[in-house]
Amino acid sequence: YTVISGEGGGGGGGQLLPEQLGARTRSVSFHGESGGRRWFALPSWAHVAQALALSALLAALVSVALGSRGGRLRSSGTERREGMPFGGIRPTRNSTLGGGQGPSLWCFALMMPLGIERELLAAQLGRGMGIFGCDGYSVFSNDSFPLVAASGEPNSGRRVVTLPIGGSLTVGKGGKWWTAMNTDIFVRVWTAVFLLGRFRQHDWTVKADPDTVFVPSRLKLLMSYEPAGPVYINNCRFGLHGPIEVLSRGAVAVYADNPSACDGIQQAAMDLRPPFDDEDHAFGEDEFLKLCLELALHVRRVDEFDLLLSEKACGHWTDYVSCDQGKVAF
């Protein structure tokens, strides 16, 4: 698509910046004799028609801005088409794309029973934001207790009962990157996800940390042309990072059907004996999930570095974070 623009005399008002659309655009200017610009003389009704057409065009651009960009499927023998998300792969047959609502999302978070994580999720619950903006959601913790929406919010008093995974949620740190040694805990979380079975009712399963700013409506746009079959979405050029993890229904089903295939990777993740700079041992749950899905379960990976996650650790920003560029999570 093309955006045609020009500058009027004496000011730059009414200009539309490409980054405001959250998509790649080309700007074309027409140079002529008067003041370096030429303007086409059109009848008044043509001006009206032109304004209506441009309004419709801009509305369409905004609505598909996220869907017009995507990652690349890292597998061979797959047909790719430019200009479509994920290399032009068609939606799966079991996708719930009807009604323009996008694919169905089931989202969950693991929450510490006390402290800032509980406060953050209570605020999100009160506003219907984050995981509570998904089609279905669950909150896991070490015990079962009510999570009550923060007072003063639109949904004040709303309650969700946490689902227990048992055991302690306290972890130490270690490994080359001095990360939380939380793989064992999240293996218990995924086991609870499998037993609960709600992921089978939705196209995509999303794990989001309590302190992740997550916009489900943007994810639905991004997933509107999901790859077929078991896939997971890689959100960082350094490998999967844990603030948000997105798996297709098929990917979760593959893991649920053969969880023991990842036992060796789980043991390596929790092994603190090798040297400090050994990257093959002592790593967090996100690295475990990546290795489990790719190496043990042979789930396909789709890279989406542009729009899924904005994170300093992925080199996306330094000091300033822009919230209006269509990113799904921060």
Side-chain angles (χ1 to χ4, degrees):
Y1 48 83
T2 302
V3 175
I4 301 175
S5 66
E7 292 179 0
Q15 295 181 23
L16 179 67
L17 299 178
E19 57 267 30
Q20 289 177 300
L21 294 175
R24 302 179 181 92
T25 61
R26 291 186 293 123
S27 179
V28 180
S29 299
F30 293 93
H31 294 269
E33 300 133 1
S34 177
R37 304 284 179 179
R38 177 187 303 155
W39 294 92
F40 297 98
L42 298 173
S44 59
W45 284 108
H47 279 290
V48 174
Q50 184 184 42
L52 292 174
L54 283 174
S55 298
L57 173 62
L58 292 177
L61 284 174
V62 172
S63 67
V64 302
L66 294 180
S68 66
R69 301 173 63 185
R72 295 174 296 168
L73 182 65
R74 289 209 167 188
S75 64
S76 59
T78 303
E79 181 182 1
R80 293 182 174 89
R81 291 186 177 87
E82 295 298 327
M84 293 179 64
F86 304 112
I89 301 170
R90 301 290 182 183
T92 54
R93 284 185 230 172
N94 60 1
S95 174
T96 56
L97 288 174
Q101 298 300 312
S104 177
L105 307 177
W106 180 70
C107 307
F108 70 88
L110 173 66
M111 182 188 73
M112 296 290 287
L114 300 173
I116 188 62
E117 290 190 351
R118 188 167 183 172
E119 296 175 16
L120 286 170
L121 284 178
Q124 294 173 47
L125 176 63
R127 300 185 186 187
M129 299 173 64
I131 66 169
F132 305 109
C134 297
D135 301 285
Y137 51 82
S138 297
V139 178
F140 295 96
S141 191
N142 62 333
D143 203 351
S144 180
F145 53 85
L147 175 68
V148 182
S151 60
E153 302 293 357
N155 297 317
S156 178
R158 186 178 177 187
R159 297 163 65 91
V160 171
V161 177
T162 62
L163 302 176
I165 64 168
S168 173
L169 300 184
T170 303
V171 300
K173 291 187 176 182
K176 180 177 180 178
W177 309 111
W178 199 242
T179 187
M181 297 289 96
N182 55 3
T183 293
D184 282 353
I185 290 176
F186 273 91
V187 167
R188 299 195 332 250
V189 173
W190 282 108
T191 300
V193 167
F194 306 152
L195 293 174
L196 191 62
R198 292 177 185 171
F199 74 90
R200 300 185 187 276
Q201 304 168 16
H202 301 276
D203 298 313
W204 294 91
T205 292
V206 181
K207 171 259 182 185
D209 288 341
D211 59 353
T212 298
V213 178
F214 166 42
V215 186
S217 59
R218 292 180 178 180
L219 182 60
K220 287 196 172 195
L221 287 174
L222 190 60
M223 298 291 102
S224 291
Y225 285 90
E226 78 253 29
V231 299
Y232 84 94
I233 312 301
N234 180 34
N235 56 25
C236 179
R237 61 193 175 96
F238 302 122
L240 180 66
H241 278 202
I244 185 169
E245 299 167 357
V246 183
L247 287 73
S248 71
R249 174 173 48 217
V252 182
V254 169
Y255 187 12
D257 291 342
N258 193 15
S260 61
C262 302
D263 286 352
I265 300 172
Q266 179 181 354
Q267 293 171 7
M270 299 301 298
D271 188 358
L272 295 171
R273 294 174 300 173
F276 179 76
D277 59 350
D278 184 352
E279 295 186 4
D280 296 326
H281 297 82
F283 45 82
E285 61 86 19
D286 46 6
E287 181 72 4
F288 161 79
L289 185 62
K290 180 193 78 172
L291 296 176
C292 172
L293 294 174
E294 288 190 26
L295 300 184
L297 301 173
H298 307 293
V299 170
R300 291 182 295 169
R301 172 175 122 186
V302 172
D303 290 337
E304 178 45 73
F305 304 151
D306 291 335
L307 292 174
L308 183 54
L309 175 65
S310 177
E311 186 189 40
K312 188 173 184 178
C314 283
H316 294 147
W317 50 272
T318 53
D319 297 319
Y320 175 74
V321 181
S322 177
C323 298
D324 61 356
Q325 299 299 305
K327 295 277 189 176
V328 170
F330 302 82

